[in-house]
Amino acid sequence: MMITVRLPDGSARTLDAPAGLSVMEVLREAALIDGECNGSLACATCHVWVDAAFADRLAEPSDGEEDMLDVAFHLQPNSRLSCQITVGDATDGLVVTIPHKTADTEVV
């Protein structure tokens, strides 16, 4: 499986994304985000924007995810916490954008 990540500087990276991992785990392994709470819905440091082509392929955000998104910077209608997106057939080729700033962490 593959994920394309658009970075705040306008560049993009394509990452190998093993099925069963969360998108956060893939991005964190590539040192692109912090993912401080390890997917426990206690922060928004894994906030991403999901490309519109994939919006209908993902499960709706849970109430807990919606609550944490309320504290994310640069919130958009396509905002998601990458810890809540599991890599699988439906996400192969997924495109996400890391906002300029994700929670308190400046993304490099």
Side-chain angles (χ1 to χ4, degrees):
M1 312 277 165
M2 303 300 283
I3 294 174
T4 299
V5 184
R6 294 181 182 136
L7 303 172
D9 67 4
S11 65
R13 290 183 55 192
T14 300
L15 305 173
D16 182 42
L21 293 182
S22 70
V23 172
M24 176 210 63
E25 291 171 304
V26 175
L27 298 178
R28 191 171 57 187
E29 180 66 27
L32 297 175
I33 62 166
D34 288 334
E36 292 175 4
C37 76
N38 294 314
S40 65
L41 288 174
C43 74
T45 60
C46 68
H47 171 225
V48 296
W49 299 323
V50 174
D51 188 88
F54 288 87
D56 63 342
R57 297 186 193 184
L58 304 178
E60 291 293 319
S62 67
D63 290 342
E65 181 179 357
E66 292 282 359
D67 289 345
M68 286 314 308
L69 283 168
D70 286 342
V71 301
F73 291 98
H74 307 292
L75 194 63
Q76 294 188 3
N78 60 336
S79 288
R80 293 296 303 264
L81 297 181
S82 60
C83 67
Q84 299 301 298
I85 303 170
T86 302
V87 176
D89 291 336
T91 59
D92 190 24
L94 178 69
V95 178
V96 297
T97 300
I98 297 175
H100 294 295
K101 191 170 188 179
T102 299
D104 291 341
T105 304
E106 191 70 36
V107 178
V108 180

